[in-house]
């Protein structure tokens, strides 16, 4: 499988398909008419957004790229549009990696296809032709906007139980903190 590369795509977002509780999560990149969608888990979307924010904050703190790393997502980059349709999953994401390229002042995000072998999962960035990789290079401003949207999408799911924090289902919720007693 190839490396699917997007250098400064027109759009790079996290999004969902389906109703809360049954949503499928995707990363989607678009350049012109070319669209790539890869599936991943909700927790991976959260981790990616949080790590992006941490990486950008660290680059900003070090001051080497103060002019290109905004402290918050620029309003003009806000993207609340749904995913491009139809959403066709290229692969499921296993391992992800982030990097700051100081030469180009870009964030590099790599999402590697999930494999059955734990050894392969440790090979992110290697040129293993059997494993697909989505590689996206975006500006710091685009990364801030991506993270903001991703965290909003994750939060838009089922509301958490005020006692245990687990998601509340429309069909009911057995709360482990209530030990079977209705409060």
């Amino acid at each position: 499988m190839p490396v699917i590369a997007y250098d400064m795509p027109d759009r790079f977002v996290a999004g969902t398909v389906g109703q809360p509780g049954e949503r499928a999560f995707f990363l989607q990149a678009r350049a012109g008419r070319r669209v790539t969608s890869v599936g991943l888990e909700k927790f991976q979307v959260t981790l990616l957004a949080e790590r992006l924010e941490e990486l950008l904050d660290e680059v900003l703190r070090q001051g080497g790229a103060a002019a290109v790393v905004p402290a918050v997502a620029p309003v003009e980059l806000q993207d609340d549009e749904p995913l491009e349709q139809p959403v066709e999953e290229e692969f499921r994401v296993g391992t992800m990696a982030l990097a700051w390229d100081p030469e180009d002042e870009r964030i590099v995000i790599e999402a590697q296809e999930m494999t059955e072998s734990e050894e392969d999962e440790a090979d992110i960035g290697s040129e293993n032709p059997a494993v697909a990789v989505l590689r996206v290079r975006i500006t710091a401003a685009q990364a801030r906007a991506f993270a903001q949207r991703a965290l909003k999408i994750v939060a838009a799911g089922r509301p958490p139980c005020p006692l245990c924090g687990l998601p509340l289902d429309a069909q009911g919720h057995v709360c482990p903190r209530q030990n079977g007693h209705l409060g």
Side-chain angles (χ1 to χ4, degrees):
M1 283 265 179
V3 172
I4 306 165
Y6 284 85
D7 192 4
M8 297 301 299
D10 299 329
R11 185 175 193 223
F12 179 62
V13 295
T16 62
V17 173
Q19 297 299 313
E22 300 174 6
R23 297 185 299 170
F25 288 80
F26 295 91
L27 296 179
Q28 190 175 76
R30 177 177 49 82
R33 296 178 59 135
R34 179 176 161 227
V35 177
T36 303
S37 302
V38 296
L40 70 170
E41 299 298 324
K42 180 179 181 177
F43 80 90
Q44 290 173 299
V45 174
T46 302
L47 285 173
L48 178 57
E50 290 172 351
R51 296 300 181 266
L52 269 172
E53 291 283 3
E54 290 171 8
L55 177 60
L56 291 167
D57 290 346
E58 181 61 22
V59 171
L60 186 59
R61 187 185 66 72
Q62 291 182 3
V68 296
V69 179
V72 296
V75 174
E76 64 272 13
L77 293 180
Q78 182 175 338
D79 182 347
D80 293 325
E81 297 298 314
L83 293 173
E84 308 280 335
Q85 297 295 322
V87 177
E88 296 175 5
E89 182 178 301
E90 296 284 329
F91 60 83
R92 296 290 301 165
V93 174
T95 304
M96 292 186 289
L98 292 176
W100 171 253
D101 181 348
E103 191 172 303
D104 292 340
E105 298 181 326
R106 300 279 187 259
I107 291 286
V108 181
I109 301 167
E110 288 191 354
Q112 179 177 301
E113 180 178 19
M114 183 181 294
T115 63
E116 294 192 27
S117 166
E118 291 298 317
E119 289 179 21
D120 288 345
E121 287 184 26
D123 287 342
I124 187 98
S126 72
E127 299 302 320
N128 181 345
V131 178
V133 175
L134 172 64
R135 181 178 299 138
V136 180
R137 296 172 54 83
I138 56 177
T139 66
Q142 289 171 314
R144 287 277 192 212
F146 172 91
Q148 180 182 48
R149 174 191 167 108
L151 292 172
K152 187 164 47 170
I153 284 171
V154 168
R158 297 173 288 170
C161 171
L163 298 175
C164 70
L166 293 174
L168 293 172
D169 291 322
Q171 300 82 13
H173 171 70
V174 179
C175 180
R177 305 253 349 239
Q178 289 185 340
N179 291 331
H181 299 288
L182 295 176

